[in-house]
């Protein structure tokens, strides 16, 4: 993996431990940041871009292997959190990163790999499983009152999932929940002049970009 959270590059084994963290727990902020970035899964879009540029099915097979590994290891289940690292809920399945994974990685990967023979029916089933899992997580974290820029990413992600996958039996409910939550987030975290209430240009642009998607 590339350098991130102030750490040098690291080589990963064939069987990836998705909760592995090279940063001591005593350095809490950097440790959480590492887990967030690592499990944002940006490396998957790199595999997708490499496949589109080369047509080499090895990139698809590697993505499928990582997808199946990640879903098996980190399936979202709040009740299972005690069996995981402290980063499981606080970083990997936080509202911000669930929304970001859907918007910036999972849907892109679906487009990159859809027509590949290596994206097998079994891999499609795994992908569908994680799509439903992300939707369920978004709905759970959306029960909390909106309070920051973190809350702007999950509703558009849920709405996009409902549009992209209308065959899912809960897609209609996802769409209604996403619209209601987005309206609540905008009412509570955006000033009448349109500025995101933290008044930081970076956060404001991130929120605008999420909603415009």
């Amino acid at each position: 993996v590339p350098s991130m959270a102030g750490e040098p590059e690291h080589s990963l084994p064939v069987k990836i431990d998705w909760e592995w963290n090279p940063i001591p727990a005593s350095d809490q902020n950097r440790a959480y940041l590492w887990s967030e970035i690592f499990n944002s899964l940006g490396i998957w879009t790199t595999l997708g871009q490499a496949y589109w540029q080369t047509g080499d099915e090895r990139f698809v097979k590697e993505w499928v292997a990582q997808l199946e590994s990640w879903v098996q290891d980190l399936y979202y289940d709040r009740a299972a959190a005690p069996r995981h690292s402290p980063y499981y809920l606080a970083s990997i399945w936080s509202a911000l990163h669930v929304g970001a994974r859907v918007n910036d990685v999972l849907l892109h990967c679906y487009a990159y790999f859809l027509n590949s023979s290596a994206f097998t029916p079994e891999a499609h089933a795994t992908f569908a499983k994680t799509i439903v899992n992300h939707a369920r997580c978004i709905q759970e974290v959306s029960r909390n009152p909106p309070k920051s820029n973190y809350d702007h990413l999950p509703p558009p992600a849920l709405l996009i999932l409902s549009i992209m996958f209308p065959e899912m039996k809960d897609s209609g409910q996802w769409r209604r929940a996403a619209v209601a939550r987005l309206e609540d987030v905008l009412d509570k975290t955006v000033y009448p002049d349109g500025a995101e209430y933290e008044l930081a240009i970076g956060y404001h642009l991130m929120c605008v970009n999420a909603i415009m998607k």
Side-chain angles (χ1 to χ4, degrees), residues 30-107:
R30 287 179 61 238
Y32 275 92
L33 182 61
W34 164 277
S35 189
E36 289 173 357
I37 298 173
F38 186 37
N39 287 282
S40 69
L41 305 178
I43 53 177
W44 289 3
T45 57
T46 302
L47 290 172
Q49 291 163 0
Y51 173 60
W52 266 25
Q53 291 172 8
T54 66
D56 190 333
E57 295 290 331
R58 289 179 297 175
F59 293 114
V60 191
K61 292 176 181 177
E62 176 61 27
W63 173 70
V64 167
Q66 291 190 23
L67 170 70
E68 292 173 343
S69 170
W70 192 87
V71 172
Q72 180 179 8
D73 291 354
L74 291 177
Y75 186 81
Y76 174 70
D77 181 355
R78 185 167 290 273
R83 300 199 299 269
H84 291 275
S85 75
Y87 317 112
Y88 176 75
L89 292 179
S91 295
I92 299 168
W93 288 104
S94 69
L96 175 66
H97 293 91
V98 173
R101 261 198 310 273
V102 170
N103 287 328
D104 300 333
V105 176
L106 293 178
L107 294 177

Side-chain angles (χ1 to χ4, degrees), residues 97-162:
H97 293 91
V98 173
R101 261 198 310 273
V102 170
N103 287 328
D104 300 333
V105 176
L106 293 178
L107 294 177
H108 289 256
C109 287
Y110 190 71
Y112 282 134
F113 302 123
L114 180 60
N115 295 317
S116 168
S117 60
F119 192 8
T120 63
E122 293 78 13
H124 270 87
T126 301
F127 185 83
K129 180 179 180 180
T130 201
I131 287 298
V132 172
N133 199 219
H134 276 73
R136 181 163 66 87
C137 180
I138 289 173
Q139 291 180 286
E140 286 193 15
V141 299
S142 295
R143 294 171 185 166
N144 301 318
K147 60 182 179 181
S148 74
N149 62 85
Y150 279 33
D151 295 297
H152 284 250
L153 271 69
L158 187 60
L159 181 60
I160 293 170
L161 289 180
S162 75

Side-chain angles (χ1 to χ4, degrees), residues 131-132 135 139 158 161-162 168 170-178:
I131 287 298
V132 172
Q139 291 180 286
L158 187 60
L161 289 180
S162 75
M168 298 293 187
D170 292 327
S171 61
Q173 193 273 331
W174 295 350
R175 183 166 58 255
R176 293 187 294 273

Side-chain angles (χ1 to χ4, degrees), residues 173-206:
Q173 193 273 331
W174 295 350
R175 183 166 58 255
R176 293 187 294 273
V179 171
R181 177 65 172 181
L182 185 56
E183 290 176 346
D184 190 36
V185 168
L186 293 175
D187 285 343
K188 291 186 170 67
T189 65
V190 176
Y191 287 118
D193 65 0
E196 197 269 333
Y197 87 112
E198 291 164 287
L199 298 179
I201 189 64
Y203 289 157
H204 176 79
L205 292 175
M206 181 186 78

